[in-house]
Amino acid sequence: MEEASLSLSLSTTTNTNTNDLIATYYLQQWRLKSKSSAAKFESMGFPEPQFLTQIDEDEEDDKEELPTELDTLNSSGGFSIVGPDKLSVRYPSVNLHGHDVGVVQANRPAPSKRLVYYFEMYVENAGAKGQVAIGFTTPGFRLRRQPGWESNSYGYHGDNGLLYRGQGKGETFGPVYSTGDTVGGGINYASQELFFTKNGAVVGAVFKDVKGPLFPTVAVHSQHEVVNVNFGKKPFVFDLKAYEAQERAKQNSTIEKLSIPQNASYGIVRSYLQHYGYEDTLKTFDFESRSTLPPISFVQENGFTEDMNTYSLNQRKVLRQLIRSGQIGDAIGKLKEWFPQIVQDGASAICFLLHCQNFIELVRVGKLEEAVLYGRTEFEKFYKLGDYADLVKDCAALLAYELPQKSSVGYLLGDSQREIIADAVNAMVLSTNPSVKDSRECLHSRLDRLLRQLSACFLEKRSLNGDQGEGFHLHRILNSGRKG
């Protein structure tokens, strides 16, 4: 959401503000890292230094609270007794009629912004009639009714192996289960299905026609019945990881069936290397591809041609190498020599980014006294402007820790912070090309824009499924590829 609002604000900025437009974008990327790092640091139990600004709550889209125990606040009228561990349930008396059901929901609904959710129930004692059940129910479900007997609920019942979904009549589904068995219930958000397992094997699946939240639910319904619930604190009997891998393989198989010309992917990779100034890698890439690909004609895309991507390629390569190796002073010197218009305003946002990184590099190599003097000289003018106060404080906080790399501002010492500065300088240089009509095109390569569009498509698909399902995470896909 923050990036979307930033893009909206950028779209209303004229080219006369190119410097601020580009640098502001990368300042925002820095701020997002700052919030994420501070939130992670706080969650680990470390105290936050008083001189750091209070961060907003982490708004990462896919972070959800998980069910951890059974809900002991909502009661089924004495027909279920939850154990002290809040993970076991027993039936305390003799059932007199069909409404004497002991139903217990989890303390939270199943998380929905993921591929799969799953939990298990172990039948310690099937009791007199074995009328135990596992399933999912909606908020406000009548806790004196078996899951599946009421609308918008689902239940796999032990005494007859039937699946009930919203009505009193069950349908043939799977085997019965009893004392010593472990059954599980899951939600596959990719296929929009509920599935159930018995002793580690999938029994079957049905379409999930409820878009709202669903609570993991268990039920007992005859004397001496006792069940124990596992929300993931202990290993599952069912191999959930293998199931998830199988589902992702199905998705990948569908993608791999799409026919994409070989030279299209070549062009995307090539434009990425050009855009970010990886000149040496580009030469190697072109040489290796020469014998395997037909000639490619590059056409103008959104006003950005190949000539624009190759603009000042060598200079951009040198600048990136200097910044990535921590030689910020040399990078500033090269900018003054090659592109003086970028750094002529010493109080600009791009100059702020460069001076901050120079300060960080001094801290990185242990030149703390020099860093203090440099900070006093360069930061005062930016701190007075107000717009940069929070980031100045992040930089200054590095001096407060004996081991700053393990602090809430330790992210500043990582290579990814150098990349932000290198990308900002690269975009600024591209924007000095007289042929550039819209400086926003200097922010992202074609590959970046493709990935952003892919992420938007995932979110749109999630929205159509009632805000359920996982988003697009490139790091997860890359990591899964390495494991494979």
Side-chain angles (χ1 to χ4, degrees):
M1 292 300 293
E2 291 184 65
E3 187 165 322
S5 63
L6 177 64
S7 298
L8 182 61
S9 67
L10 294 183
S11 67
T12 61
T13 309
T14 63
N15 283 337
T16 58
N17 296 324
T18 293
N19 192 313
D20 287 339
L21 183 151
I22 293 175
T24 297
Y25 174 84
Y26 287 101
L27 283 170
Q28 182 73 344
Q29 300 308 300
W30 180 357
R31 285 192 169 96
L32 291 175
K33 283 184 62 182
S34 175
K35 291 179 181 180
S36 175
S37 177
K40 179 179 180 181
F41 184 75
E42 186 176 3
S43 70
M44 293 170 64
F46 294 102
E48 191 73 16
Q50 293 183 355
F51 50 79
L52 287 180
T53 54
Q54 184 176 2
I55 64 165
D56 295 332
E57 183 179 356
D58 186 4
E59 296 180 349
E60 185 180 340
D61 203 21
D62 291 353
K63 283 191 173 179
E64 300 176 278
E65 289 189 306
L66 304 175
T68 56
E69 58 188 34
L70 295 169
D71 183 6
T72 57
L73 298 179
N74 295 317
S75 170
S76 55
F79 292 100
S80 64
I81 297 178
V82 178
D85 60 358
K86 297 185 179 181
L87 293 173
S88 61
V89 185
R90 69 180 178 87
Y91 196 85
S93 60
V94 178
N95 61 328
L96 300 178
H97 50 73
H99 293 286
D100 294 345
V101 185
V103 178
V104 188
Q105 294 178 321
N107 61 334
R108 299 187 185 100
S112 60
K113 294 176 180 177
R114 53 175 56 204
L115 176 64
V116 176
Y117 173 74
Y118 179 78
F119 78 108
E120 287 185 340
M121 178 185 80
Y122 171 70
V123 183
E124 182 178 322
N125 190 333
K129 299 181 180 179
Q131 295 176 329
V132 294
I134 184 172
F136 294 93
T137 57
T138 54
F141 180 78
R142 293 170 59 191
L143 300 180
R144 294 280 298 279
R145 300 281 287 167
Q146 284 272 14
W149 284 1
E150 300 286 327
S151 60
N152 298 324
S153 68
Y154 309 84
Y156 172 34
H157 292 211
D159 59 330
N160 53 23
L162 299 182
L163 178 75
Y164 294 78
R165 44 177 172 167
Q167 52 186 322
K169 184 179 180 180
E171 55 192 80
T172 302
F173 185 69
V176 299
Y177 56 90
S178 187
T179 301
D181 288 325
T182 297
V183 289
I187 306 175
N188 184 329
Y189 291 107
S191 62
Q192 287 293 296
E193 291 180 318
L194 298 171
F195 66 95
F196 293 91
T197 68
K198 177 185 176 182
N199 296 331
V202 175
V203 170
V206 293
F207 178 70
K208 180 179 74 67
D209 51 8
V210 175
K211 296 298 183 183
L214 288 172
F215 284 80
T217 305
V218 297
V220 287
H221 195 186
S222 71
Q223 194 172 21
H224 304 307
E225 289 178 354
V226 180
V227 298
N228 300 299
V229 184
N230 179 14
F231 291 114
K233 190 174 182 180
K234 299 184 296 184
F236 291 127
V237 173
F238 176 63
D239 192 342
L240 182 60
K241 293 295 184 183
Y243 179 84
E244 290 177 336
Q246 184 180 33
E247 291 304 304
R248 295 195 193 284
K250 291 179 183 177
Q251 296 177 353
N252 292 339
S253 176
T254 302
I255 294 172
E256 289 170 359
K257 291 177 182 178
L258 299 176
S259 177
I260 300 176
Q262 189 177 8
N263 60 359
S265 57
Y266 169 82
I268 291 174
V269 173
R270 192 169 190 273
S271 69
Y272 176 87
L273 297 174
Q274 290 174 336
H275 180 91
Y276 288 108
Y278 296 115
E279 184 182 29
D280 296 339
T281 306
L282 176 64
K283 289 179 180 178
T284 303
F285 182 72
D286 282 344
F287 178 80
E288 295 294 336
S289 304
R290 196 170 298 164
S291 60
T292 59
L293 290 171
I296 300 174
S297 61
F298 294 93
V299 297
Q300 179 171 316
E301 180 185 349
N302 297 328
F304 222 77
T305 64
E306 183 180 20
D307 289 340
M308 295 180 187
N309 261 334
T310 56
Y311 172 75
S312 298
L313 182 60
N314 182 259
Q315 290 93 328
R316 290 189 289 118
K317 178 195 77 170
V318 171
L319 288 167
R320 181 173 292 277
Q321 289 175 340
L322 288 172
I323 294 170
R324 293 179 74 181
S325 62
Q327 302 175 68
I328 309 303
D330 292 341
I332 294 175
K334 291 295 184 183
L335 284 170
K336 290 179 178 178
E337 177 186 349
W338 295 334
F339 309 101
Q341 67 271 42
I342 292 177
V343 291
Q344 64 184 2
D345 179 5
S348 66
I350 191 66
C351 285
F352 172 71
L353 286 171
L354 287 164
H355 286 307
C356 284
Q357 192 61 35
N358 207 17
F359 174 87
I360 292 166
E361 298 300 340
L362 291 172
V363 175
R364 185 196 292 267
V365 296
K367 297 181 178 180
L368 302 185
E369 292 185 5
E370 189 175 341
V372 171
L373 292 175
Y374 187 85
R376 287 174 179 171
T377 302
E378 300 296 342
F379 287 166
E380 183 178 2
K381 57 188 174 187
F382 295 109
Y383 193 82
K384 289 180 179 179
L385 292 175
D387 293 340
Y388 309 119
D390 56 333
L391 300 179
V392 170
K393 289 180 180 180
D394 265 21
C395 290
L398 288 170
L399 300 172
Y401 296 96
E402 185 176 350
L403 296 173
Q405 65 271 22
K406 295 184 178 181
S407 72
S408 63
V409 290
Y411 74 94
L412 292 172
L413 300 173
D415 290 340
S416 60
Q417 186 67 15
R418 287 176 172 175
E419 291 293 340
I420 288 180
I421 311 306
D423 288 347
V425 169
N426 182 75
M428 289 296 301
V429 173
L430 284 173
S431 71
T432 64
N433 186 346
S435 300
V436 172
K437 297 179 181 180
D438 187 346
S439 55
R440 288 173 298 170
E441 295 297 330
C442 302
L443 290 172
H444 305 290
S445 69
R446 294 174 184 173
L447 178 59
D448 293 324
R449 294 197 291 272
L450 178 63
L451 292 175
R452 288 155 68 88
Q453 182 62 32
L454 186 57
S455 179
C457 290
F458 265 77
L459 293 176
E460 178 64 18
K461 180 182 177 182
R462 174 193 284 180
S463 176
L464 294 174
N465 285 331
D467 202 28
Q468 298 179 348
E470 62 183 352
F472 173 72
H473 301 291
L474 180 61
H475 65 86
R476 174 182 55 76
I477 294 174
L478 295 176
N479 289 336
S480 65
R482 291 191 188 103
K483 292 175 183 177

